[in-house]
Amino acid sequence: MRLLHTYGFGGLLHLMICFVRTKLTFSKARLIRFPIDIRGKKHISISKGFTTGVGCRIEAYPEQNKKVLFIGENFQMNDYVHITAMESVTIGNNVLLASKIYISDCSHGSYSGNENDSNPNEIPHNRKMFSKPVVIEDNVWIGESVSVLPGVRIGKGTIVGANALVTKDLPEYVIAVGSPAKPVKKFNFVTKRWELLP
């Protein structure tokens, strides 16, 4: 009765159809809300409890024939999340993603300021793909419209605020905000409080 009140009859019917389709697509998943775009399924490892919103895009394009996208248990992402992996994207257990998030270990070209840099006169689509592994540890919560770029590790229990751009590693148990994302609070396990960083 509560579900009917929350979703209405049409929404509840859609939810039931999504549940059946979920079990046919990824048997270990909890619920995939269709439509969803999954590319390179054989290169993706999804654990039990996987849940999505609508309009998500998950893709894996490895250079070798292997799994490159690993998603832990009880993972939940909301609407219009885009995750792409070429080398390695590892997402831990109990991770929560808000909507409109972008996570990628790769880009069209390299822009690091070294001998591997891409030429701006080259067509972007034709530039050599560049990748660095991404790791998102257990119990991370990522807010609305965050982008996580190649080569980043987000530590256990960390919260990333809405609209942040994560370009560098974030330590465990912090709240990070901004563009680029920087820690502003850290959880103190003695006082049991989130405390401002100096």
Side-chain angles (χ1 to χ4, degrees), residues 115-170:
E115 67 278 359
N116 297 320
D117 277 359
S118 300
N119 187 318
N121 288 324
E122 195 176 359
I123 298 168
H125 181 74
N126 293 337
R127 294 174 192 168
K128 183 180 176 190
M129 293 297 288
F130 165 80
S131 67
K132 279 188 179 177
V134 169
V135 177
I136 299 172
E137 296 182 2
D138 296 347
N139 300 329
V140 167
W141 174 25
I142 298 179
E144 194 89 3
S145 300
V146 169
S147 291
V148 178
L149 300 187
V152 163
R153 176 181 287 270
I154 300 176
K156 184 177 180 179
T158 283
I159 299 168
V160 182
N163 300 305
L165 175 63
V166 186
T167 60
K168 294 182 180 175
D169 292 357
L170 295 174

Side-chain angles (χ1 to χ4, degrees), residues 9 16 31 39 57 61 93 98 128 161 189:
F9 180 75
M16 289 190 295
L31 180 64
R39 304 175 189 185
R57 178 174 161 191
Y61 299 113
N93 299 322
K128 183 180 176 190
F189 282 91

Side-chain angles (χ1 to χ4, degrees), residues 82-103:
H82 180 189
I83 302 172
T84 185
M86 185 177 114
E87 182 177 344
S88 176
V89 173
T90 303
I91 300 174
N93 299 322
N94 310 310
V95 170
L96 175 62
L97 305 182
S99 300
K100 303 181 192 101
I101 290 169
Y102 175 67
I103 299 168

Side-chain angles (χ1 to χ4, degrees), residues 3-191:
L3 282 175
L4 184 60
H5 178 68
T6 303
Y7 291 100
F9 180 75
L12 190 56
L13 181 62
H14 177 69
L15 211 58
M16 289 190 295
I17 292 168
C18 286
F19 181 77
V20 172
R21 288 183 70 187
T22 295
K23 295 307 173 187
L24 295 173
T25 308
F26 288 105
S27 60
K28 292 190 279 186
R30 187 170 77 83
L31 180 64
I32 297 171
R33 289 176 176 88
F34 292 86
I36 189 170
D37 187 0
I38 299 172
R39 304 175 189 185
K41 181 180 172 184
K42 70 178 182 176
H43 306 296
I44 301 169
S45 174
I46 291 177
S47 303
K48 67 180 182 179
F50 178 79
T51 305
T52 79
V54 299
C56 295
R57 178 174 161 191
I58 306 167
E59 54 190 350
Y61 299 113
E63 292 184 322
Q64 285 98 30
N65 187 20
K66 62 178 185 175
K67 291 193 184 296
V68 291
L69 176 52
F70 304 90
I71 298 177
E73 294 183 2
N74 303 315
F75 167 86
Q76 183 173 339
M77 63 180 175
N78 286 287
D79 302 341
Y80 306 107
V81 171
H82 180 189
I83 302 172
T84 185
M86 185 177 114
E87 182 177 344
S88 176
V89 173
T90 303
I91 300 174
N93 299 322
N94 310 310
V95 170
L96 175 62
L97 305 182
S99 300
K100 303 181 192 101
I101 290 169
Y102 175 67
I103 299 168
S104 178
D105 71 346
C106 57
S107 68
H108 288 276
S110 176
Y111 310 95
S112 299
N114 61 31
E115 67 278 359
N116 297 320
D117 277 359
S118 300
N119 187 318
N121 288 324
E122 195 176 359
I123 298 168
H125 181 74
N126 293 337
R127 294 174 192 168
K128 183 180 176 190
M129 293 297 288
F130 165 80
S131 67
K132 279 188 179 177
V134 169
V135 177
I136 299 172
E137 296 182 2
D138 296 347
N139 300 329
V140 167
W141 174 25
I142 298 179
E144 194 89 3
S145 300
V146 169
S147 291
V148 178
L149 300 187
V152 163
R153 176 181 287 270
I154 300 176
K156 184 177 180 179
T158 283
I159 299 168
V160 182
N163 300 305
L165 175 63
V166 186
T167 60
K168 294 182 180 175
D169 292 357
L170 295 174
E172 296 180 340
Y173 309 117
V174 299
I175 297 175
V177 298
S179 181
K182 293 180 182 174
V184 292
K185 286 188 174 184
K186 185 168 179 67
F187 190 75
N188 184 324
F189 282 91
V190 176
T191 64

